[in-house]
Amino acid sequence: MKCPRPNEVGAINSTAKEAVEAQLSAVKQITAAYEIEVEADYEKLTDSDALEILSRINAATQLCIDSEADRVMQELDAARGKLPVAAIKEVREHADIFVPLLMRSLQQAILRVRDGGEREEDVSFFAVFLLTELEVTDAFPLLLEVLRLPDEGPFELLGDGVHELVAPILALFSGGNTDEIGEIVQDSNVNIYVRWSAAKAYKYLVRDELISRPVAIDALHRHFQECVENEDHDMLATLAC
């Protein structure tokens, strides 16, 4: 993600452009007093002026980065059914910048859906996929919140991805610990399709040799028995399969 030059008018938004120009203008004012023409002339700078110049340049650079990050997030937000390939590529290349932004957008979407609203942007949808792809373990609690949203909440954020994404997410982030998987499978307050998908996580754990086949079968058998005891009949066919 490059930092645009100050004269690239369309590269950053007007507010950020003005702020960047203000920082660089201050740098020019400082260096003007030294009549710097060649590289060696920079040795004339006092320590305080050198520190001030570095501070101004760092501030301008951060403004560029923030503006570019906003642009990428807006591209994810405005996808509207079209895969934002370029934006996704930039997120992958600069995960350190975008992971906090993706987590914040997902948290905001969770709160909105929990309060009875609907997903208003696409960025939270892509956040789930990208945080999973990047294996951001700190995002697992947020992803669990998505799965535990009441009623159709998980579909507000994942769409039909619920059917295909839930099991891999749980298998990837569980690290072989099946406690969270079992809790979702057995929780009748969780969306039934999420529970069905969560039960499939065991096959991924067996495939990746994180748990043995007998351990997976025992867990599914235990879930089956508990569903029978609780008359939770909607889960029986899935667990049997």
Side-chain angles (χ1 to χ4, degrees):
M1 184 168 60
K2 69 173 185 176
C3 183
R5 296 186 179 89
N7 62 347
E8 291 180 338
V9 178
I12 57 178
N13 64 59
S14 58
T15 301
K17 180 176 181 292
E18 292 175 2
V20 169
E21 289 178 340
Q23 295 292 344
L24 297 183
S25 177
V27 171
K28 290 178 67 175
Q29 290 176 8
I30 295 172
T31 57
Y34 291 91
E35 298 182 355
I36 294 176
E37 296 181 357
V38 296
E39 184 177 347
D41 291 338
Y42 283 98
E43 296 179 3
K44 303 174 184 177
L45 291 171
T46 65
D47 289 345
S48 60
D49 281 344
L51 288 172
E52 179 68 14
I53 289 172
L54 289 174
S55 175
R56 295 282 185 175
I57 292 175
N58 286 337
T61 301
Q62 189 60 52
L63 285 165
C64 290
I65 292 173
D66 291 344
S67 180
E68 283 288 270
D70 287 344
R71 174 187 61 76
V72 172
M73 295 296 284
Q74 288 170 12
E75 289 180 13
L76 293 175
D77 182 25
R80 302 297 182 268
K82 183 179 179 180
L83 189 65
V85 176
I88 290 173
K89 181 180 178 182
E90 291 198 69
V91 171
R92 289 169 173 164
E93 292 175 349
H94 304 282
D96 57 323
I97 294 173
F98 288 104
V99 163
L101 299 178
L102 292 171
M103 290 181 65
R104 184 172 64 193
S105 70
L106 186 56
Q107 180 66 72
Q108 292 170 344
I110 290 170
L111 292 174
R112 186 162 52 251
V113 172
R114 186 174 285 143
D115 290 340
E118 296 181 352
R119 175 169 63 91
E120 298 175 352
E121 71 288 304
D122 287 338
V123 64
S124 57
F125 173 81
F126 289 110
V128 173
F129 285 85
L130 288 165
L131 291 170
T132 301
E133 177 187 327
L134 296 170
E135 299 187 22
V136 182
T137 54
D138 288 344
F140 190 35
L142 275 181
L143 297 172
L144 288 174
E145 285 190 52
V146 171
L147 303 186
R148 290 185 174 279
L149 285 169
D151 303 319
E152 298 299 306
F155 285 89
E156 287 291 338
L157 296 182
L158 297 179
D160 288 338
V162 164
H163 303 296
E164 300 298 331
L165 194 60
V166 170
I169 284 177
L170 290 172
L172 174 66
F173 288 110
S174 71
N177 185 332
T178 60
D179 292 346
E180 296 285 359
I181 298 171
E183 288 178 10
I184 290 176
V185 169
Q186 294 168 194
D187 190 347
S188 59
N189 293 315
V190 173
N191 182 284
I192 188 62
Y193 294 106
V194 172
R195 297 173 68 199
W196 287 359
S197 298
K200 299 175 184 177
Y202 289 99
K203 69 180 182 182
Y204 291 100
L205 294 174
V206 172
R207 180 200 66 184
D208 296 337
E209 299 182 347
L210 292 172
I211 62 174
S212 67
R213 185 170 180 272
V215 167
I217 293 174
D218 287 345
L220 291 167
H221 186 215
R222 185 172 64 255
H223 297 328
F224 189 94
Q225 290 178 313
E226 291 178 358
C227 287
V228 169
E229 293 170 3
N230 297 324
E231 298 185 358
D232 189 1
H233 300 148
D234 289 339
M235 285 296 296
L236 295 180
T238 296
L239 291 170
C241 289

